[in-house]
Amino acid sequence: MHDWSADGWAYRAELYQHVDTPPVSRNPVLHHGVDLPDTWWHDLHQALDHLTPVDTGRQAVREQYIRRRVPEYTGIAPGEITWTTAHGDLHWANLTGPQLRLMDWEGWGTAPTGYDAATLYLHSLPVPGFAERVREEFCNLLGDPAGRVGELTACTEILQAANRVPFYADLADKVRHHLDHLGAATRRA
């Protein structure tokens, strides 16, 4: 653990475990195809399956945020929220490969069902074939009515951050396009 202050701010860095395996991508958003073995996907499912039933008071996403911001940024009312425990920041710079390690755990806590899968999917959109693989891997959550709130929440976070985070600005149009499909599916349901 290392603490320091600069410009009136206090900082703390904590290292829990050194990871030698490189991240799947240096950028949270995937810009190239990746060849991950089936065992990697199995291990990811297993890790998330072990995490979701964990009982915690920590919150990765707050209900007030969902109720206020999701309609503002998506035009879709979130409806009923089913909660689960999530990593909270599941993107390609926080996953290693070809051996899986999940990194960057400071944001873990409760989130809507499907939130982690949706976050990973949205960060894959620049590589359509790979995004489809993520969608297939998590078909039990993505597109499911309970998982739809997780998708809407992940879309909202990206769109809200687009004016201040360059890689989200680049991703925003693809997220809006995905929202068009999600909104049509919501209207049909």
Side-chain angles (χ1 to χ4, degrees), residues 11-179:
Y11 298 91
R12 170 171 282 172
E14 296 181 41
L15 176 64
Y16 295 102
Q17 180 180 8
H18 179 75
V19 177
D20 291 329
T21 310
V24 172
S25 171
R26 296 271 178 218
N27 188 305
V29 179
L30 197 63
H31 291 286
H32 54 81
V34 180
D35 185 23
L36 296 170
D38 289 341
T39 55
W40 187 93
W41 292 100
H42 175 301
D43 292 347
L44 178 59
H45 281 286
Q46 193 171 40
L48 295 177
D49 288 348
H50 286 340
L51 177 62
T52 57
V54 172
D55 187 28
T56 182
R58 293 178 54 97
Q59 294 178 317
V61 183
R62 297 189 188 313
E63 183 172 2
Q64 301 90 322
Y65 175 85
I66 295 168
R67 298 277 177 220
R68 181 173 178 199
R69 297 297 183 196
V70 166
E72 178 183 344
Y73 282 88
T74 70
I76 302 170
E80 184 179 339
I81 303 171
T82 305
W83 295 96
T84 189
T85 301
H87 176 274
D89 198 17
L90 198 68
H91 57 66
W92 297 107
N94 286 339
L95 297 167
T96 67
Q99 181 182 8
L100 176 69
R101 296 283 184 264
L102 280 73
M103 302 183 292
D104 195 15
W105 283 90
E106 85 274 356
W108 77 277
T110 56
T113 296
Y115 175 77
D116 277 343
T119 301
L120 193 61
Y121 171 72
L122 295 172
H123 284 81
S124 306
L125 288 176
V127 185
F130 202 79
E132 187 56 35
R133 171 75 190 258
V134 174
R135 195 143 191 96
E136 288 170 8
E137 287 290 334
F138 293 101
C139 64
N140 62 319
L141 299 170
L142 301 176
D144 181 76
R148 193 167 291 124
V149 178
E151 286 190 74
L152 291 169
T153 303
C155 288
T156 298
E157 290 178 337
I158 289 170
L159 294 175
Q160 186 178 27
N163 65 348
R164 65 183 188 283
V165 180
F167 58 81
Y168 285 151
D170 294 341
L171 191 57
D173 284 341
K174 290 178 180 8
V175 170
R176 285 186 196 95
H177 183 70
H178 175 64
L179 274 170

